[in-house]
């Protein structure tokens, strides 16, 4: 039996063994004391449920990657079995399952539980709000994550950012979107606060998990949908049911995906395990954004060149109108409960603190190299 396995089996803390061995080997020398905290050898077998369709790249595979790396980093002390949406609990029932302890871990996006935690929506995506850089900055350097923890704590849930989709696409439509009025009577699948904006513009908004969207669009249950960006939208096959593909995704300019832990379980872990979970969540957050960024461009070209999708930009006047409407909706939604109000005010305050930096830096820079990134059409 390997020494490490022996330690695991006997449950003897490494530090204690090192101390004892040093005493024996020292033969009369003064006993050396090991420093640092003892590492617990307690092991955990967890279940993780997600909102994502099976094998969905970056989303479901990201959750699986998270589980694998946690097992590796903890040397097998935490093993996580991952289930896709609907395999163990309903896709939109992830938050409840983690909250009540049915499972230990979950993965999704906070706008999926808006019915239960309306204030949570600000932590996934805000229409005309932060891009990935901005929302991550709010989380890690602007107090956003601490506030998110406060919002989820009454539900016995601990959140961590676990991924980011980048700026999403505006969605798939069967008709041209010429003005705000184009949303009137439109049956569209669109989640979160962006969905509230479309509803205020007169749309009939529905929320359904990823696995149900294509069939609904194909059968005409909905007229339009949004999902993520080219990489994922291509895989979903939406181009077979709608030809107009609009940008930009004003409703989801940098959506944060989350990993959530049952708080009682998370709090009971030794510090080293908590740090490992946090660190793997953080690196998965970065990895996920990079995967989207790496794949979107080529997927967009395939949609246009192979599947003859019409790439369309929302007209400037329509974007102006949507932005004004979005700001109204955000105030209305924030006024509905004190927690939402608190989060909304914190978000606005940080947005003000960041100020025009993104305009001076990123957008000005990108505008100078726009021609080099021009779409290569065949
Ligand atoms: Ca989306």
């Amino acid at each position: 039996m390997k020494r490490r396995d022996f330690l695991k089996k006997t449950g003897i803390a490494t530090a204690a063994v090192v101390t004892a061995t040093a005493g024996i080997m020292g033969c009369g020398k003064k006993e050396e004391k090991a420093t640092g905290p003892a590492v617990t050898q307690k092991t955990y077998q967890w279940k993780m449920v997600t909102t994502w369709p099976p094998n969905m790249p970056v989303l479901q595979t990201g959750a699986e990657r998270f589980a694998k790396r946690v097992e590796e980093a903890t040397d097998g002390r935490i093993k996580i079995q991952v289930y896709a949406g609907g395999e163990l609990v309903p896709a939109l029932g992830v938050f409840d399952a983690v909250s009540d302890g049915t499972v230990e871990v979950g993965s999704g996006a906070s706008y999926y539980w808006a019915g239960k935690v309306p204030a949570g929506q600000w932590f996934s995506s805000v229409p005309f709000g932060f891009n990935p850089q901005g929302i991550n900055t709010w989380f890690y350097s602007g107090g956003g994550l601490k506030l998110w923890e406060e919002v989820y704590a009454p539900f016995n849930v601990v959140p961590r950012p676990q991924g980011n989709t980048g700026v999403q696409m505006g969605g798939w439509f069967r008709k041209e979107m010429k003005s705000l009025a184009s949303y009137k009577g439109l049956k569209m699948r669109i989640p979160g606060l962006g969905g509230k904006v479309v509803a205020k513009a007169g749309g009939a908004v529905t929320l359904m998990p990823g696995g149900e969207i294509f069939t609904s669009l194909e059968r005409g249950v909905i007229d339009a949908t949004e999902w993520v960006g080219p990489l994922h939208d291509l895989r979903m096959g939406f181009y077979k049911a709608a030809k107009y593909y609009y940008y930009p995704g004003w409703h989801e300019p940098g959506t944060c995906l989350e990993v959530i832990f049952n708080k009682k379980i998370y709090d009971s872990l030794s510090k080293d395990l908590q740090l490992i979970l946090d660190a793997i969540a953080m690196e998965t957050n970065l990895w996920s954004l990079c995967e989207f960024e790496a794949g979107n461009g080529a997927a967009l070209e395939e949609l246009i060149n192979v599947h003859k999708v019409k790439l369309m930009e929302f007209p400037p006047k329509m974007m102006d109108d949507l932005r004004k409407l979005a700001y109204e909706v955000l105030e209305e939604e924030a006024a509905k409960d004190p927690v939402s109000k608190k989060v909304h005010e914190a978000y606005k305050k940080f947005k003000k603190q960041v100020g025009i930096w993104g305009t001076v830096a990123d957008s000005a820079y990108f505008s100078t190299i726009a021609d080099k990134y021009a779409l290569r059409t065949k």
Side-chain angles (χ1 to χ4, degrees), residues 111 168 189 191 226-228 251-252 255:
Y111 52 44
Q168 297 199 2
R189 182 272 179 196
E226 67 77 58
W227 176 231
V228 187
H251 63 297
E252 295 195 60
T255 302

Side-chain angles (χ1 to χ4, degrees), residues 56-87:
M56 181 57 73
V58 196
L59 303 173
Q60 182 64 15
T61 62
E64 286 159 4
R65 181 183 183 275
F66 173 84
K68 186 167 174 278
R69 289 172 79 81
V70 166
E71 183 173 338
E72 286 170 355
T74 61
D75 196 21
R77 285 180 290 157
I78 298 179
K79 287 187 176 160
I80 306 173
Q81 178 72 39
V82 185
Y83 299 87
E87 286 180 353

Side-chain angles (χ1 to χ4, degrees), residues 168-316:
Q168 297 199 2
M169 287 293 285
W172 295 84
F173 301 84
R174 290 206 184 90
K175 61 170 190 178
E176 281 193 49
M177 300 297 283
K178 294 178 177 167
S179 71
L180 206 57
S182 302
Y183 280 112
K184 272 200 183 113
L186 190 82
K187 289 179 281 179
M188 183 170 184
R189 182 272 179 196
I190 175 169
L193 294 163
K196 298 272 178 11
V197 179
V198 169
K200 197 171 167 79
V205 170
T206 60
L207 174 61
M208 59 185 78
E212 298 170 21
I213 304 174
F214 178 75
T215 311
S216 300
L217 186 64
E218 195 184 34
R219 291 179 184 170
V221 176
I222 50 175
D223 306 313
T225 188
E226 67 77 58
W227 176 231
V228 187
L231 179 68
H232 282 59
D233 293 6
L234 169 65
R235 187 185 171 93
M236 294 287 258
F238 296 137
Y239 60 85
K240 295 173 198 161
K243 278 293 177 197
Y244 295 104
Y245 194 24
Y246 271 88
Y247 71 94
W250 55 267
H251 63 297
E252 295 195 60
T255 302
C256 171
L257 314 170
E258 65 185 19
V259 59
I260 48 177
F261 304 99
N262 179 280
K263 189 170 187 303
K264 271 198 197 108
I265 291 163
Y266 181 91
D267 289 348
S268 73
L269 299 172
S270 56
K271 188 73 185 166
D272 63 312
L273 290 182
Q274 289 178 346
L275 282 172
I276 288 171
L277 292 174
D278 292 356
I280 304 286
M282 202 179 201
E283 67 105 27
T284 309
N285 188 18
L286 177 60
W287 170 85
S288 151
L289 178 62
C290 296
E291 288 291 300
F292 281 113
E293 291 293 310
N296 274 331
L300 184 60
E301 289 188 1
E302 186 177 336
L303 283 166
I304 293 164
N305 296 327
V306 179
H307 302 296
K308 307 302 173 195
V309 161
K310 289 188 196 307
L311 181 68
M312 308 285 282
E313 185 175 5
F314 287 121

